Each structure stands twice: as structure tokens, then as C-alpha cells.
Amino acid sequence: MKQLILFYKLECKRILKSIPHILAGAIALSLVAGAIAFCAGKMIYINKNDADISIAYSLEDENRMTKMIVGMLTGSDSISSVCNFIQTSEEESTEMLANNQIMAAITIPAGFMNSLMSGKNYSIQISLPVKLSIYSIILVELTKAVENILDSAQAGVYTLYDFYKEQDILEHEKEANLALNSIYLTKALDRSSTFQTHTVSATGSVPIKEYYICAGVVLLLMMMGTTFIHTLQSNSRIMNLKLYQAGIGSQHIALGKILSVALTLFILLFSAVLVFVLLNAMNILSVRFRLPAALFNTAAVCLCAAGVIVFIISLTSGRSGGILLLFIASTVMCFISGCFVPELFLPDALKEISNYLPSTHMLRLMTDMIQNRISLSHLLTALCSGLFLYLCTTLNLYIRKGAKLI
């Protein structure tokens, strides 16, 4: 038992002595992670005009009121910013729709406005492609809304006429009808009553800036293994044999490495949290951390990161191979977990894979820490991931027993 305790102490001391090298490597990796986060944020939230949504319309009604309303709609700044209206004949619009050149084809029949006045109600024909897109579905819903408004306007005109006729004041019906039409047109063209504004973020409830800070920390912790890989691989074959003879098997060697790396990462990360707490107390920064949430989340993140580092390094026997494998594995896992591009934009297959990656669990814990909350499910998932990596490392060391591993 004393030998085991002494072994764990020595392992921790060896890793802790390399903290100056780790800090130097952390600064370099932070610059890389910051550059990636900045570029990714600019690529995702770039402002661009979506002017490629084309709609063709043919205006066969020569009524002045119809032309005025169509001109108001097609010339509206808010509508023209997302739609490109093309005035063509009915045959040309049908051909363009068949060739997938437009999103919809609208035909306003001759005598449309007069039909509203006489009660005949000529229909506006709206043709959509066979395969509906999200824009087509929105257009369908707006069409239904316009149809309901026209129905209510028609009923209002008839009711108004019957009421004034019954009261024997039909001479005032024209003036009242104009006022009623003005009300209906005002409501129909008021888009604020049709749409509701919702702010949608690809990173969910976490702001984009804080999200990429969390993602950068995850990538940084995993790649920190490249800065002390020599220390983890310093055991010679003879040293490993001596440890086995002393009763310190593969399970203790793997656990000692993981705990020592986790302790080192925890000291560095939690020290950074304490610095933020101090700056907040001095009213220099507005970032607030609750120490209990930061403590538990930091410990779980570091333990999970240590499991990844030790397992990947245990797969190689050389320093260059270990650095290369750790760099590639960390980059790929972080990409699938949404550290570079938020998970919302990734294919469904990658989203399924990300649920089983330790980098995903680490990212969730970091966002929990930023939001000052403790999620028991996230903590248990990260701990289970770390335990699985420990078992994989132990099995790998047992299979390669006696070799110059770590």
C-alpha cells in the first residue's frame, strides 16, 4: 500500500514539474484556438442578402387599384430584401417554375379587383414546385392568411351593404365602404401582425462569444498533452518491469498517469477561474463564476481530458507519433463535437457520433460552468467517459506489458 501511495506521489510530482512548459504550450495553443474561434464566428454569422429567392408573377388585371397594391408589395424594402420579383406572362412563369428557376409563380387574373366588388371573387393562382422548400411552405401559410383576410373583407362588405339598406341610408354606404376597405388594406399590409420576431442562435442559450471560449478551452486541454508527452513516455522497459515486480500493475500505472494529468490540468484551469473571480470582484470584468459549479465542472472536465490524453499517448511509443496522433484525434473529436462549427450545422450522422465523444461531454460541462449551473447528467456522463478511457488504457498497457509505453 505504501508503495502505491509513493508511486502516485511521484507521478504527480513528475507532471507538476512540467507546468512551466505546459504554460508556454498553452499560450501558443490559445492563440491558435482564438484564431479558429474568430474565423468560425465570422463565417457563421456573416451578414448576407438572400436575394436568390425568385418569384415570378403575371399581372393580367388592368385595374389601377390592383397595380398599386402589387407595386406596393413588390417594392417593399422588407419583402424585396429576401425576394426577387420577376414580372412575366403566365406561360413564361410556368416554364420557369418547371425548370426550377423560381420559387413560385403567381397569376393575377383579369378583372380581379372588379370581381371583389361584384362578389364573383376571381382567384389568384399560385403555383409551387413539386418538392416544397422551407420558403414554399412559408408562402403557402401566408397565402392562407391572405385568403382569410379577403373572406372577412367580403363578408364585411355584404354586411355593411345590408345594414345601410335596412336602415334606409344607402346613400352613405359608399363612404362607409371606402373606410372599411381602408381598414382591411391596412391590416392586410401590416406585416408586424403576421410575423413574430425570434432571435435564434446556433449555439443555443449560450452566446456565441462564450460558446467559443468554452470550445477553445476544451481543445486547449486536450492538446496540452503534447506539451508533457515526454514526461508520460519517460518510463523505460526496465522501469515498467520493476513496477510490475513491485505489485504495481497496469491498472495502477494507468490510474497514476490519469490522476497526475488531471490534477495538473485542474490546477491550471481552476487558477484561471479564480483569476476571473478576482477580476470580477474588482469590477474589471462582468463574468461571474459560482465556485461550487466551477469546482465540480472543472474537476470532471479535467478528468475526462486526462483520460483522452493518457489513452491516446498509450497507443504510441514515440514522442513524434504521440504528438501527431493526439493532435489529429483532438482536432477531429472537437470538430465533430461542434467546437469549430456549432453542432446545428453538422450532418445528422456526425451529431449521432458526437453524443459518444468525450469532447462533447467536456463542452457541455464548460457551458454549464459559464452558465453557473451543475448538471448531474453531464457530470455522470463525463465521469463514465473518463472511466471507460481508463479501462481502455489499462487494457492497452496489459496487452503491451513490458514494452516502453508510458
Side-chain angles (χ1 to χ4, degrees):
M1 187 64 182
K2 291 183 178 180
Q3 289 178 335
L4 286 176
I5 296 175
L6 179 61
F7 170 74
Y8 291 139
K9 286 183 178 179
L10 291 176
E11 285 294 327
C12 292
K13 286 182 179 180
R14 284 204 306 168
I15 301 298
L16 290 174
K17 285 182 179 179
S18 60
I19 283 183
H21 300 284
I22 297 174
L23 289 175
I27 294 174
L29 291 173
S30 297
L31 295 176
V32 175
I36 293 174
F38 177 79
C39 295
K42 291 295 183 181
M43 290 174 61
I44 294 171
Y45 289 97
I46 185 171
N47 293 323
K48 58 182 180 179
N49 187 10
D50 214 359
D52 54 353
I53 305 175
S54 299
I55 298 177
Y57 71 96
S58 57
L59 182 59
E60 300 179 0
D61 188 9
E62 297 296 331
N63 190 283
R64 185 177 299 178
M65 179 68 72
T66 304
K67 292 182 178 180
M68 183 188 72
I69 295 176
V70 172
M72 289 175 58
L73 291 174
T74 56
S76 171
D77 292 336
S78 58
I79 296 179
S80 60
S81 63
V82 293
C83 297
N84 180 29
F85 286 96
I86 305 171
Q87 185 173 2
T88 62
S89 64
E90 184 177 0
E91 293 77 11
E92 290 176 344
S93 61
T94 303
E95 183 179 353
M96 294 174 67
L97 185 65
N99 296 330
N100 293 323
Q101 296 177 333
I102 55 177
M103 193 65 61
I106 303 175
T107 301
I108 302 176
F112 170 74
M113 187 60 65
N114 291 330
S115 72
L116 294 180
M117 303 301 180
S118 62
K120 294 181 180 179
N121 293 344
Y122 293 164
S123 299
I124 296 177
Q125 180 181 349
I126 301 178
S127 302
L128 300 173
V130 178
K131 295 182 179 180
L132 294 179
S133 66
I134 183 64
Y135 302 109
S136 302
I137 295 174
I138 293 175
L139 188 58
V140 169
E141 296 301 322
L142 289 177
T143 303
K144 293 179 181 178
V146 173
E147 182 180 358
N148 291 332
I149 292 176
L150 289 177
D151 287 342
S152 62
Q154 190 84 42
V157 170
Y158 290 152
T159 304
L160 190 69
Y161 180 86
D162 292 341
F163 174 78
Y164 276 78
K165 184 177 181 181
E166 182 182 346
Q167 299 296 324
D168 197 23
I169 49 175
L170 199 58
E171 66 273 10
H172 300 293
E173 185 269 339
K174 186 176 182 180
E175 182 181 353
N177 197 16
L178 290 175
L180 185 62
N181 288 336
S182 176
I183 294 174
Y184 276 118
L185 285 175
T186 302
K187 295 297 181 182
L189 299 177
D190 184 14
R191 296 179 65 218
S192 62
S193 61
T194 306
F195 297 97
Q196 294 180 350
T197 302
H198 295 279
T199 302
V200 179
S201 174
T203 56
S205 59
V206 182
I208 184 68
K209 182 179 179 181
E210 296 180 1
Y211 177 85
Y212 274 113
I213 290 176
C214 297
V217 171
V218 171
L219 179 63
L220 180 63
L221 289 176
M222 295 177 65
M223 288 195 175
M224 270 188 184
T226 60
T227 61
F228 50 81
I229 189 172
H230 177 70
T231 305
L232 291 175
Q233 291 183 335
S234 60
N235 287 2
S236 63
R237 181 177 181 180
I238 298 177
M239 175 64 73
N240 285 331
L241 291 175
K242 290 290 185 182
L243 290 174
Y244 290 132
Q245 291 173 1
I248 301 175
S250 303
Q251 69 275 18
H252 296 296
I253 295 177
L255 183 60
K257 299 291 184 183
I258 292 176
L259 291 179
S260 59
V261 173
L263 178 61
T264 305
L265 296 178
F266 177 81
I267 291 174
L268 294 174
L269 183 56
F270 198 69
S271 298
V273 173
L274 293 177
V275 170
F276 277 102
V277 172
L278 180 62
L279 293 176
N280 179 66
M282 298 171 62
N283 294 325
I284 298 178
L285 289 178
S286 59
V287 180
R288 295 173 180 255
F289 284 108
R290 292 181 182 176
L291 290 182
L295 180 64
F296 285 104
N297 289 317
T298 301
V301 167
C302 294
L303 188 61
C304 196
V308 174
I309 292 172
V310 175
F311 172 68
I312 293 177
I313 293 178
S314 70
L315 298 175
T316 61
S317 56
R319 182 178 181 183
S320 299
I323 292 176
L324 181 61
L325 182 60
L326 182 60
F327 178 83
I328 294 175
S330 300
T331 304
V332 172
M333 284 194 294
C334 287
F335 174 78
I336 297 177
S337 298
C339 293
F340 299 147
V341 179
E343 190 178 355
L344 177 67
F345 300 102
L346 297 179
D348 293 336
L350 294 183
K351 292 178 183 179
E352 292 295 328
I353 297 174
S354 67
N355 293 327
Y356 302 97
L357 294 179
S359 53
T360 303
H361 310 323
M362 295 167 60
L363 181 59
R364 291 170 180 170
L365 289 172
M366 287 301 304
T367 54
D368 287 342
M369 185 169 66
I370 286 288
Q371 295 177 311
N372 291 317
R373 67 183 183 186
I374 299 177
S375 175
L376 186 60
S377 61
H378 291 170
L379 288 174
L380 291 177
T381 305
L383 293 178
C384 290
S385 180
L387 178 61
F388 176 75
L389 291 169
Y390 161 69
L391 294 176
C392 292
T393 305
T394 301
L395 179 62
N396 184 46
L397 294 180
Y398 181 79
I399 294 174
R400 304 176 62 185
K401 187 175 181 180
K404 185 180 179 181
L405 302 173
I406 56 177

